[in-house]
Amino acid sequence: ESLKHNQGDAKAWYLSGLCQEKLGQRDAAYTSFEEYLKREPEVEGLFRDPYLEKFREDPRFPGLVKRYL
């Protein structure tokens, strides 16, 4: 719902990705985190967030963060 009003806000994309990941919607989460990084290329949070432990195991994760380092 937040994205409807905050398309340009990096935090809204991050939180959307976090919720999608917790709901098992990995592809949608990947897209949301990519949108987050486009707006806020700060990859450190993706490494520190304990809720993203499984997400970091996805084989696409290294390529995603590498583009924004």
Side-chain angles (χ1 to χ4, degrees):
E1 187 67 30
S2 177
L3 285 176
K4 288 181 184 178
H5 306 289
N6 301 298
Q7 285 283 319
D9 183 27
K11 188 71 167 183
W13 284 103
Y14 186 91
L15 293 174
S16 177
L18 188 61
C19 291
Q20 291 161 335
E21 175 64 16
K22 295 309 280 179
L23 291 170
Q25 301 169 354
R26 175 71 48 84
D27 290 338
Y30 184 89
T31 298
S32 291
F33 286 125
E34 188 161 36
E35 291 297 324
Y36 160 73
L37 290 170
K38 285 179 187 175
R39 290 160 178 78
E40 182 71 42
E42 187 274 309
V43 299
E44 192 174 310
L46 296 178
F47 285 102
R48 287 188 316 222
D49 196 320
Y51 295 111
L52 297 178
E53 184 177 340
K54 295 280 187 198
F55 185 77
R56 289 189 292 269
E57 294 173 4
D58 188 288
R60 298 174 290 180
F61 181 75
L64 175 66
V65 297
K66 191 176 191 178
R67 288 194 299 272
Y68 297 96
L69 288 176

